Amino acid sequence: MGATSDGDRPWESYQTVYTNAKAGMDGVDKEKVQRVIYEMSKGSKYFENEQRKEAIVKQRIERMRAQCAKLTAKDIAQFQMIADKRILELESSRDLSKIWVHSDMDAFYAAVETLENPSLKGKPLAVGGKSMICTANYEARKFGVRAAMPGFIALKLCPNLVFVPTNFDKYMNYSEKTRKVFRGYDPNFIATSLDEAYLNITTICKDRCVSSQEVAEELRNAIYEETGLTCSVGVAPNRLLAKVCSDINKPNGQFILPNERKAILTFISSLPIRKIGGIGKVTEHILRDVLGINTCQEMLKKSAYLCGLFSPCSIDFFLSVGLGVGNTDTQFRLRKSISSERTFSSTEDQSLIFKKMEEIAETLSNDMQKESLFGRTLTLKLKTTSFEVKTRATSLQKYIQSKEDIFSHATKLLKAELPLSVRLIGLRMSHFCVGTPHSADPMQKTLSGFIFSGGASSSADTNADSLIDSEICFSDDVNDLPLGYDHPEQVDEKHLTHCTGERNEATDDRSVAKVCFIYIYSFYIEMPISSCTQSLMEGMDLMNEEDKSADNRALLSRTQEEVVLWINDYMCSLCGCELPPSFVEERQEHSDYHLAEMLQKESMDNFGKPTQGSNPVQKSPCVGRSARKRRNKSAHNDGKHIPIDCFFERSKKVRRP
Ligand code: DCP
Ligand code: MG
């Protein structure tokens, strides 16, 4: 933020969500808006919180710069090879056969209010209240007023601003009308919020021999006929680009990006990264300040560095953005979590806080029942009076769904935080099993999980809560969004957040793990152990340090999941098995398998017995449930399988006779 370091114009570097332009704000006097927002927020709790978050991001930027500076020419060459390979793969996955439409209603809540009360027409309008507004019409946007801005600031920017309170029943009613129209164009359309949807119009264009331009126009007219409201649409070969396109000619407009590679690359070449759903303020800041990336195309120019700094998921996302490739299938991403939250006036009244939480648990449970979901990771989100967002998570021994179970576990999390003055409570469930919870014990530990959670000495503590401080996560943009808000910037969280559970005390077993990881790593990069990168050794050494900062945890996470086996981002070099980065659990399992194999080998060798199944190529670990079953079966049959806790007992005997 640099509020004090910018001399007499400190507002120039005060960037909040309010200063980011939305559609209809192109002609706004940005400096004036920034100054008003700065002056009105200065000294407030919100301001202090923004400063705190900004300081964290700055620290992260510094660390990432240092990480970059440490990369040798050889490192960069290696990362470039990895990046080039991945770019080729992504390029070959480019699908130009589909036509996607993204439809987005114009100033939705405000337009509904105006439709029902025509006297509001032409006046600058905000839906919401003095504390927060949900949206503003295009007249108000000319003054810099926008969604998520406190109403009192909006009023300062636009003294004639008219406020209308929200009425969700109305918005849902109009949303349902738009969905009726969408169904006529694509019965499998994907609604991502009340006013946004993706439609695959490939078939309709083909069957009716009409252009996507004509269908887009027709769709917009049909929406208007049905609702009396206008929308804007974007047409592109994939959803990522269609969403960007729908914003270009807002309001009441459309933009068509042809299904041609050249046109896409031209479009992408100058597109600012912030236009992409999934790239929020923090990500933009980091990519710009660490790597000098401003446009989507620059992702490709800096691909080696991206590979050196980010997780496989993030790298894939960034490179896809650089190429303009995106999802084209109708199946939308699987739900990863479900949540509910409430904002209220700040309170420290504990009985009120628990009452709110009970209501939230009930809503969450009902929503889970509707989707037949059972989850085993529960996250509590609290926004304090000073706008600090805390999240606390626990992994449970069984899958839960009932209000009582959710409330009981949430209560334990909450009690540990009280007393506290809060203004928002949210609950999120994740790690699902759909339908009846299966018999598999969700708490059965993975090998690396076992090692990193404290080894054999803590193996009984399978219910240890993991603490996650969201404010130290990579993306803080998401902290300002409701837990369940289906906003594209949630992708930020998905792609960029590296949170791991807090470590328990280091044990001697960690040294076993450390040796094994380094062994695998050296094998992997075909280098002697002594030549393993310093950063890896440092990452491992963090296990023995007191410092439990998020970055250290993040580094551990990276070390475990990315460096050890997946440095080339898709293929296991130990056995050649190929697994895309999105197969997170399968990768973990695969990694565990090799690690177990090595530990067992070491154990056998130390016992002076012949090593069995030590050739990973011959005994390639398969992935997936059936493979797991097969593996378990053979392990039982041949008696080679050593339960992990027993293994550590044996390992200890070897090391400390
Ligand atoms: N909304 C909200 N809080 C936000 C953003 C949006 O409650 N921070 C609500 C109000 C909006 C609706 O969601 O009317 C749709 O969000 P959009 O981002 O699509 O914004 P609008 O439809 O209002 O405007 P645009 O014309 O830019 O799409
Ligand atoms: Mg909209």
Side-chain angles (χ1 to χ4, degrees), residues 355-372:
K355 190 167 166 282
K356 294 270 177 212
M357 200 173 71
E358 194 171 4
E359 286 166 15
I360 297 165
E362 183 168 9
T363 312
L364 182 59
S365 169
N366 289 341
D367 290 348
M368 288 175 72
Q369 281 169 39
K370 276 182 213 152
E371 295 189 36
S372 303

Side-chain angles (χ1 to χ4, degrees), residues 22 104-108 141 195-196 250:
K22 262 186 86 86
D104 183 350
M105 302 302 288
D106 302 320
F108 185 47
R141 289 184 200 191
D195 86 323
E196 287 182 38
K250 253 187 176 300

